[in-house]
Amino acid sequence: MNKNKIIFAILWILLLVLFIFLLLNFNKKAANTNISRSWELVVWLLWDESEWFKKVFDEFKKSSKEYEWKTIKIESFASYDDYFYTLNSAIISWKSPDIFVLNNNEKKSTFTEQVVWINPNIVNPNDFRKKFKWVFADDLIMSSWEWEQKTEFLVWIPVWYEALWIYFNRKYVKESELSSISSLNNLVAKIKESKPEITPIWIWNWFSVFWVSDILTQFLMLESDVSWLKDVTWDKMKQWLASYMLYWDISWDNAYNERIEEMNKSWENSLDLFSKWDTFMLVWYPRLLEQINKKWFSKNFLLASVFPQYVNGKWKALINYNYFVINKESKNQDVASKFLWYLASDKWAKQYLDNYKYYLPALLSLESDKLEEKVNSAYNIVLWNFYSSDYDLSSFDKWIKTIYDEWIISILDNVSWYQKDFDNFRDSIVCKAEKLATLDWLSKSCVK
């Protein structure tokens, strides 16, 4: 072979190598582009500030370099109804998020089959029981049977919870007067007598900025010590109504109803009354402090306390929380699993709670530190004000939360409920929930 042919052959080999290199490099870039598009993590929240959640995720990326270029898209819903129906629609249309939340007060969720369960080899249920408050083990540890062998597994890991508080005006209310239900009853009677123009405690309002269904449920749990709707009998319901009516004069010529008419016309709510000192006590979760602050309530006169219980016995205190779950159809289960696992650690759970200061910690190890912190720097209110080790924390299974929340409020619009009406409703909602969960007896009518 002459010299020219050798040079020509070498050039062809170099060109071929260059072509292969460029082709491989192009494919690599294209693959990275496709990965980056599919690696947008979509998270749906309920009630939580999305920007605060993004801060937590940004810190997660700094510690997990393999995900530092990962983007996150967060949607946060203020209404449970909006969240429930939108998530249903998203799942049906194959547009559901990678991570979403479920609420503890609906045990047989319609989304249960959409969730990836945690392998017990990754998170041991017994270890979970030791690290988290016991109520979470009751709610989130499930079991399955295979070949006559029982296996326990965790649904997913919670970060926070909240319990009902009483915010009060310390000029007219002493914390010692909220030590028990009987003390609260005496206080309400005293205020009604000395200041008849004042509504002592506001626990119902058609135009309120927050739902009242949980407040009413807490009264029901106090009177009957139940933790799910199926166990609520008519006798227990009557007992609850009698207790609740102590705080609400239903005659049409009283100042309470006159005030409601005024509020309807002016589009005011209970927060407006509280800020104007037309009512001395409000009941809701710790996050209400953010709304109270926007109403410019006097910082020197606002205090808070745990929701009172009866003196005798250990009664159930309603709690509310959302726990994060991974969509079984997610293409990002690796980063989703790692991120949620991080939230179960002391460091990352604390960072999450540093952003959402009005939540109580689910981890036992964080209680001593977090409970000393102020909920809002402008007020002398810390989480310890709303914590009691004597209370039996409990979820309440509403079976179908959207229906239950609407129904229990309707009781107050029609106090002449009859046993047959109540029994029919309870049986109807339980029937609907069981059909949704099991997909059995679908042709069966749930209406009697």
Side-chain angles (χ1 to χ4, degrees):
M1 183 180 293
N2 60 36
K3 184 177 180 180
N4 289 335
K5 289 183 177 181
I6 293 173
I7 294 173
F8 185 75
I10 292 173
L11 287 174
W12 268 109
I13 292 171
L14 290 174
L15 287 172
L16 181 62
V17 170
L18 179 62
F19 174 76
I20 294 172
F21 173 79
L22 292 174
L23 182 64
L24 291 174
N25 192 52
F26 175 80
N27 288 336
K28 183 178 180 180
K29 288 183 177 179
N32 285 339
T33 301
N34 290 332
I35 289 173
S36 64
R37 287 175 180 169
S38 66
W39 271 25
E40 179 184 57
L41 188 72
V42 180
V43 180
W44 283 14
L45 306 175
L46 178 61
W47 305 319
D48 286 347
E49 176 61 51
S50 58
E51 282 303 312
W52 297 348
F53 189 87
K54 186 177 183 301
K55 290 180 182 178
V56 177
F57 187 79
D58 288 343
E59 291 299 318
F60 161 76
K61 289 197 297 182
K62 291 178 182 178
S63 67
S64 303
K65 296 299 183 181
E66 67 269 37
Y67 303 120
E68 61 183 353
W69 51 276
K70 183 76 176 176
T71 60
I72 186 171
K73 182 180 180 181
I74 304 171
E75 300 289 352
S76 185
F77 294 75
S79 162
Y80 183 87
D81 284 9
D82 290 347
Y83 176 79
F84 176 83
Y85 292 112
T86 307
L87 185 56
N88 263 306
S89 177
I91 291 173
I92 293 171
S93 58
W94 298 88
K95 296 180 180 180
S96 50
D98 300 296
I99 296 174
F100 58 95
V101 296
L102 298 180
N103 185 260
N104 66 303
N105 290 310
E106 186 177 83
K107 299 293 180 64
K108 293 184 178 181
S109 172
T110 56
F111 307 117
T112 298
E113 296 301 320
Q114 196 69 22
V115 173
V116 177
W117 308 121
I118 302 179
N119 189 316
N121 294 325
I122 298 175
V123 180
N124 185 284
N126 287 327
D127 292 340
F128 179 82
R129 290 186 175 99
K130 296 174 184 177
K131 293 178 63 177
F132 288 80
K133 296 185 75 67
W134 191 261
V135 63
F136 299 109
D138 291 342
D139 288 349
L140 301 179
I141 293 179
M142 308 296 178
S143 60
S144 63
W145 287 86
E146 187 174 355
W147 302 104
E148 297 185 356
Q149 180 71 33
K150 181 180 179 181
T151 302
E152 289 188 326
F153 58 89
L154 198 61
V155 178
W156 251 113
I157 297 172
V159 182
W160 59 269
Y161 73 97
E162 55 187 358
L164 289 171
W165 301 354
I166 292 188
Y167 288 96
F168 61 93
N169 187 327
R170 72 179 182 88
K171 182 175 176 63
Y172 298 101
V173 177
K174 298 177 181 178
E175 188 169 8
S176 59
E177 294 175 302
L178 303 175
S179 59
S180 67
I181 287 292
S182 58
S183 298
L184 174 61
N185 293 345
N186 292 334
L187 173 62
V188 168
K190 184 177 72 174
I191 295 175
K192 282 184 176 180
E193 182 177 354
S194 61
K195 295 182 177 295
E197 75 282 4
I198 296 295
T199 304
I201 180 171
W202 200 279
I203 55 177
W204 171 247
N205 179 0
W206 285 268
F207 285 87
S208 177
V209 295
F210 47 84
W211 284 103
V212 298
S213 61
D214 285 3
I215 302 174
L216 308 181
T217 302
Q218 176 63 87
F219 276 94
L220 178 60
M221 293 171 71
L222 285 178
E223 292 297 333
S224 54
D225 195 32
V226 295
S227 58
W228 68 344
L229 178 62
K230 196 171 184 178
D231 281 348
V232 180
T233 64
W234 175 243
D235 288 339
K236 292 176 180 177
M237 179 59 70
K238 285 193 300 182
Q239 188 177 1
W240 164 75
L241 283 172
S243 174
Y244 178 80
M245 291 306 171
L246 292 174
Y247 308 99
W248 182 28
D249 183 356
I250 62 173
S251 62
W252 288 104
D253 58 351
N254 66 82
Y256 183 91
N257 285 291
E258 290 177 2
R259 179 52 58 84
I260 286 180
E261 187 175 350
E262 295 173 12
M263 293 167 66
N264 289 347
K265 293 178 180 179
S266 61
W267 289 88
E268 288 186 325
N269 56 56
S270 52
L271 287 173
D272 295 300
L273 298 188
F274 191 60
S275 64
K276 294 188 296 186
W277 294 22
D278 286 339
T279 186
F280 297 155
M281 291 173 281
L282 288 181
V283 178
W284 196 233
Y285 293 116
R287 51 190 151 96
L288 183 63
L289 184 56
E290 300 296 318
Q291 298 295 325
I292 293 176
N293 188 45
K294 292 176 182 178
K295 295 294 182 179
W296 298 94
F297 191 91
S298 172
K299 295 174 173 56
N300 293 324
F301 289 99
L302 181 67
L303 287 178
S305 178
V306 293
F307 194 88
Q309 306 272 305
Y310 284 107
V311 176
N312 298 323
K314 189 171 184 178
W315 302 90
K316 294 184 183 297
L318 175 69
I319 66 167
N320 180 67
Y321 64 91
N322 297 326
Y323 55 97
F324 295 100
V325 295
I326 297 176
N327 188 345
K328 68 179 183 181
E329 296 169 357
S330 170
K331 297 178 181 179
N332 296 306
Q333 291 192 19
D334 54 345
V335 62
S337 297
K338 189 168 185 179
F339 178 54
L340 295 193
W341 175 239
Y342 268 46
L343 289 180
S345 67
D346 287 19
K347 175 184 175 181
W348 290 94
K350 182 179 183 303
Q351 186 172 42
Y352 184 95
L353 295 167
D354 284 344
N355 286 281
Y356 299 93
K357 292 184 178 297
Y358 41 76
Y359 286 147
L360 294 157
L363 277 164
L364 293 168
S365 56
L366 297 182
E367 281 192 340
S368 58
D369 292 333
K370 294 301 299 181
L371 295 180
E372 293 289 352
E373 297 179 3
K374 283 189 175 183
V375 180
N376 184 304
S377 59
Y379 297 92
N380 294 317
I381 295 176
V382 297
L383 286 172
W384 269 118
N385 295 132
F386 319 106
Y387 176 84
S388 175
S389 59
D390 295 330
Y391 288 177
D392 182 12
L393 301 179
S394 175
S395 300
F396 183 88
D397 189 356
K398 299 178 179 180
W399 289 75
I400 302 179
K401 180 175 167 59
T402 52
I403 299 177
Y404 174 91
D405 287 346
E406 182 179 356
W407 161 75
I408 198 168
I409 293 174
S410 71
I411 292 179
L412 303 182
D413 291 330
N414 180 17
V415 294
S416 59
W417 270 61
Y418 298 96
Q419 179 174 355
K420 182 179 178 181
D421 296 327
F422 168 74
D423 289 343
N424 285 345
F425 171 78
R426 180 200 58 217
D427 296 343
S428 173
I429 193 173
V430 169
C431 169
K432 291 176 181 178
E434 289 179 339
K435 285 206 295 185
L436 287 171
T438 64
L439 295 179
D440 290 331
W441 303 95
L442 299 180
S443 299
K444 176 184 175 182
S445 174
C446 292
V447 179
K448 294 183 178 180

